[in-house]
């Protein structure tokens, strides 16, 4: 982080979340699946909310989804976001399961064009050396 | 109402200001001192304290500065603004089980002068926030706006519905000499205020306040001999719902069902009363949409009807069907993690509010809905 605090906050992976970010750095959207009941889950965590199993695996997801909600952020914001305002943040419901809702942005899409129900697909934004954020683009 | 074994017998607060110009602990001590004076009790009568997890003044610091000789019971409630009613509920449990005889709950917070907690976010972000902060969901208003937008989409809730909450709270604050913001506002003022996070505007957001509030809880028996008309703790409840993520609970089966849904169920069942029995409500209002959500979740209207419920002065004193936040709430009196809502609930049952609901006998008080939450039903003695 720079002394001015102007650098974008980056994820700090832990043992449970690292596979998600490692996949993103490879340009893949990967999600956890329960070994006990096969349910997909997000965010990554040690246990399954449906069956309680602590065993899971990672699988590549389709990367397709629908905008479930969105906001348009105005200031005051962190210095890292100050030059972007107003910008949209979306909550995307993934095709694999309606409980899978992922926060993201739609780089290059004007906030006024974002709407609930919009079909989107995953893309990846490199934000630092070896760090990429799963992001979204219109699939319509 | 016969089952209530504890009562709130004292309330106290400091001035509410943008900057009190003193350390937070002095504010905490002053609020607690005022609540004990109100009850007609001395620090030597106190044997229990319940603090918020975010409170910076410890129980032992309170005790050693006020001359409380021994704390037989001390505990803290979690999740910031979700814990205010839980604190009173814990105090009531301690009294009901004989673990303590006089318990003080308090919240002192210098958020007006102390800066915005989210502004310290930076560098690498771990935990749950790693999936939202890098995208710009940083402030509490961003987190709740995502739910507000979805509520508008699913149910046709409008910005004017949210504005009606802000207008009602300000109307009540205009009658409260202690409120921080007392200039009445209109729906047009709400509509003209700047966006902070669309769909929410500045007037959808709570105040940035320095201040402290404390309440004193004791047994119903002891309350009979004290200075004030007691407010019985008829029921208290907590709830989380499934798969909760604090402030970013987007992953549950129904994200629009906040933890209040579960707290409400237990609260009314424990009290043996129905939402229609409630005379006045103090509903946690860090952002206006949470009042809309809570009106639905506590059963005053059906899911999706919280917006229209706020129209036409229905939540305004004196003629509304359910006056809400009669001291101005977090939107216009002070934002102190809801402890001022508890105090106002007590005032209503004493007949001492600046916007007094005639013959108020039952008051709902709720805590923060975007986090693991809690709620109280208070009844006139
Ligand atoms: Zn499972």
């Amino acid at each position: 982080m720079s002394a001015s605090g102007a650098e974008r906050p980056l994820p700090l992976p832990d043992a449970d979340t690292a596979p998600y970010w490692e996949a993103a750095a490879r340009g893949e959207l990967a999600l956890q699946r329960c070994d006990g009941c096969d349910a997909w889950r997000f965010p990554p965590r040690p246990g399954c909310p449906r069956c309680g199993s602590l065993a899971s695996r990672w699988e590549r997801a389709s990367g397709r989804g629908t905008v479930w909600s969105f906001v348009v952020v105005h200031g005051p914001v962190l210095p890292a976001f100050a030059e972007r305002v107003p910008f949209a943040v979306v909550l995307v419901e993934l095709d694999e399961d309606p409980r899978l809702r992922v926060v993201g942005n739609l780089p290059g899409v004007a906030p006024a064009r974002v709407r609930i129900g919009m079909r989107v697909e995953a893309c990846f934004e490199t934000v630092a050396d070896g760090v990429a954020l799963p992001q979204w683009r219109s699939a319509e | 109402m016969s089952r209530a074994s504890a009562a709130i017998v004292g309330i106290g607060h400091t001035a509410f200001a943008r900057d009190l110009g003193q350390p937070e602990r002095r504010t905490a001590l002053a609020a607690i001192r005022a609540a004990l004076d109100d009850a007609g009790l001395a620090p030597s009568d106190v044997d229990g304290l319940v603090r918020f997890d975010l409170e910076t003044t410890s129980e032992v610091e309170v005790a050693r500065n006020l001359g409380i000789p021994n704390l037989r019971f001390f505990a803290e409630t979690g999740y910031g603004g979700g814990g205010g009613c839980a604190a009173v509920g814990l105090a009531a449990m301690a009294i009901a089980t004989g673990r303590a005889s006089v318990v003080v709950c308090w919240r002192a917070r210098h958020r007006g002068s102390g800066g915005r907690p989210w502004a310290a976010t930076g560098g690498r972000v771990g935990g749950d926030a790693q999936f939202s902060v890098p995208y710009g969901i940083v402030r509490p208003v961003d987190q709740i706006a995502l739910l507000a937008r979805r509520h508008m989409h699913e149910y046709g809730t409008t910005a004017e519905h949210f504005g009606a909450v802000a207008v009602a709270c300000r109307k009540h604050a205009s009658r409260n000499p202690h409120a921080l913001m007392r200039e009445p506002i209109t729906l047009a003022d709400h509509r003209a205020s700047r966006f902070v996070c669309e769909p929410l505007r500045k007037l959808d957001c709570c105040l940035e306040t320095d201040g402290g509030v404390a309440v004193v809880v004791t047994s119903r028996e002891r309350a009979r001999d004290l200075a004030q008309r007691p407010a019985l703790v008829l029921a208290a409840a907590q709830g989380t719902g499934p798969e909760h993520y604090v402030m970013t609970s987007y992953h549950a089966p129904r994200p629009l069902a906040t933890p209040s849904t579960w707290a409400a169920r237990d609260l009314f069942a424990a009290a043996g009363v129905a939402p229609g029995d409630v005379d006045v409500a103090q509903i946690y209002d860090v952002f206006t949409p949470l009042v809309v959500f809570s009106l639905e979740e506590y059963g005053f209207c059906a899911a999706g009807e919280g917006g229209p419920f706020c129209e036409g002065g229905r939540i305004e004193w004196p003629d509304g069907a359910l006056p809400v936040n009669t001291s101005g709430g977090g939107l216009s009196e002070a934002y102190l993690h809801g402890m001022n809502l508890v105090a106002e609930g007590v005032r209503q049952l004493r007949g001492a509010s600046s916007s007094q609901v005639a013959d108020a006998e039952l008051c709902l008080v709720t805590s923060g809905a975007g986090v693991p939450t809690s709620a109280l039903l208070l009844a006139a003695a």
Side-chain angles (χ1 to χ4, degrees):
Chain A
M1 187 179 175
S2 72
S4 70
E7 284 180 18
R8 184 170 185 157
L10 299 178
L12 176 64
D14 57 43
D16 293 311
T17 68
Y20 181 82
W21 297 114
E22 288 162 8
R26 295 192 304 270
E28 291 177 15
L29 185 69
L31 296 174
Q32 246 179 332
R33 275 193 99 164
C34 177
D35 281 347
C37 71
D38 278 338
W40 297 88
R41 70 176 180 261
F42 179 84
R45 73 198 97 156
C48 174
R50 301 200 195 179
C51 78
S53 170
L54 296 179
S56 67
R57 61 190 185 274
W58 285 84
E59 288 187 16
R60 191 166 178 173
S62 69
R64 293 184 175 278
T66 306
V67 173
W68 187 85
S69 189
F70 71 99
V71 298
V72 180
V73 175
H74 295 253
V77 293
L78 293 177
F81 294 108
E83 288 181 6
R84 299 163 193 248
V85 292
F87 65 92
V89 185
V90 292
L91 191 55
V92 175
E93 184 178 274
L94 303 183
D95 284 2
E96 278 76 8
D97 188 313
R99 292 195 197 189
L100 300 171
R101 300 186 191 94
V102 181
V103 173
N105 306 113
L106 284 162
V109 177
R113 296 181 57 86
V114 181
R115 58 177 176 77
I116 290 175
M118 187 176 178
R119 290 288 295 162
V120 293
E121 61 189 14
C123 56
F124 296 86
E125 181 187 9
T126 299
V127 288
D129 239 11
V131 183
L133 301 179
Q135 293 284 22
W136 302 91
R137 64 184 170 218
S138 174
E140 295 181 338
Chain B
M1 297 189 186
S2 59
R3 75 186 89 185
S5 53
I8 300 175
V9 294
I11 55 176
H13 65 85
T14 65
F16 304 136
R18 295 290 181 200
D19 185 354
L20 284 176
Q22 63 181 13
E24 219 166 57
R25 65 181 175 182
R26 284 182 177 262
T27 302
L29 296 168
I32 294 169
R33 184 80 237 190
L36 289 170
D37 289 348
D38 179 63
L41 289 166
S44 56
D45 293 313
V46 176
D47 58 1
L49 291 173
V50 184
R51 67 192 281 275
F52 280 63
D53 57 347
L54 299 180
E55 181 69 28
T56 58
T57 308
S58 69
E59 304 92 322
V60 290
E61 179 142 49
V62 169
R64 70 191 179 217
N65 280 290
L66 292 182
I68 296 169
N70 177 46
L71 292 173
R72 297 164 64 214
F73 174 75
F74 43 94
E76 71 174 43
T77 58
Y79 302 104
C85 293
V88 176
L90 262 180
M93 278 208 300
I95 286 155
T97 58
R99 287 283 304 277
S101 61
V102 174
V103 182
V104 178
C105 314
W106 84 98
R107 182 75 178 113
R109 190 169 190 244
H110 284 190
R111 175 63 179 72
S113 59
R116 296 166 167 149
W118 58 264
T121 310
R124 293 270 182 165
V125 179
D128 301 342
Q130 70 189 280
F131 298 102
S132 53
V133 166
Y135 298 98
I137 297 294
V138 177
R139 307 164 298 178
V141 67
D142 306 323
Q143 297 162 331
I144 297 303
L146 272 169
L147 297 177
R149 173 87 71 182
R150 182 69 191 189
H151 198 278
M152 297 168 89
H153 174 80
E154 284 195 17
Y155 299 121
T157 308
T158 65
E160 286 69 29
H161 293 145
F162 299 147
V165 175
V167 168
C169 286
R170 186 62 64 84
K171 177 182 179 183
H172 302 154
S174 74
R175 304 174 46 79
N176 170 7
H178 303 290
L180 201 49
M181 297 297 284
R182 303 186 58 207
E183 188 69 26
I185 56 171
T186 64
L187 284 176
D189 293 328
H190 172 265
R191 192 162 53 242
S193 72
R194 65 178 173 80
F195 279 125
V196 181
C197 186
E198 292 178 55
L200 301 183
R201 299 176 178 278
K202 185 167 189 287
L203 287 177
D204 290 305
C205 302
C206 66
L207 305 178
E208 301 178 309
T209 313
D210 280 14
V213 179
V215 303
V216 184
V217 186
T218 192
S219 69
R220 189 176 186 173
E221 289 68 33
R222 189 161 182 181
R224 291 196 184 101
D225 303 326
L226 295 177
Q228 304 287 352
R229 185 179 176 193
L232 300 177
V233 181
L234 189 59
Q238 291 176 273
T240 64
E243 289 191 71
H244 185 81
Y245 281 79
V246 177
M247 291 299 287
T248 54
S249 203
Y250 309 137
H251 315 289
R254 290 168 53 229
L256 291 182
T258 77
S260 299
T261 301
W262 284 266
R265 190 178 300 170
D266 287 344
L267 185 74
F268 285 106
V273 301
D277 298 324
V278 172
D279 299 308
V280 55
Q282 314 300 333
I283 296 180
Y284 201 91
D285 56 346
V286 58
F287 304 111
T288 55
L290 292 184
V291 174
V292 171
F293 298 179
S294 295
L295 287 166
E296 300 170 9
E297 295 178 318
Y298 284 93
F300 297 106
C301 58
E305 294 176 5
F309 188 93
C310 295
E311 289 180 324
R314 209 169 283 115
I315 60 170
E316 294 180 16
W317 182 90
D319 297 324
L322 182 73
V324 169
N325 297 359
T326 44
S327 67
L331 288 162
S332 283
E333 183 190 33
Y335 182 69
L336 294 167
H337 280 155
M339 280 307 274
N340 53 318
L341 299 178
V342 177
E344 173 63 8
V346 173
R347 265 183 232 112
Q348 283 288 350
L349 300 172
R350 289 180 180 181
S353 171
S354 51
S355 293
Q356 181 63 43
V357 171
D359 305 319
E361 291 190 347
L362 186 63
C363 181
L364 171 72
V365 187
T366 76
S367 290
V371 295
T373 197
S374 55
L376 294 170
L377 278 167
L378 302 178

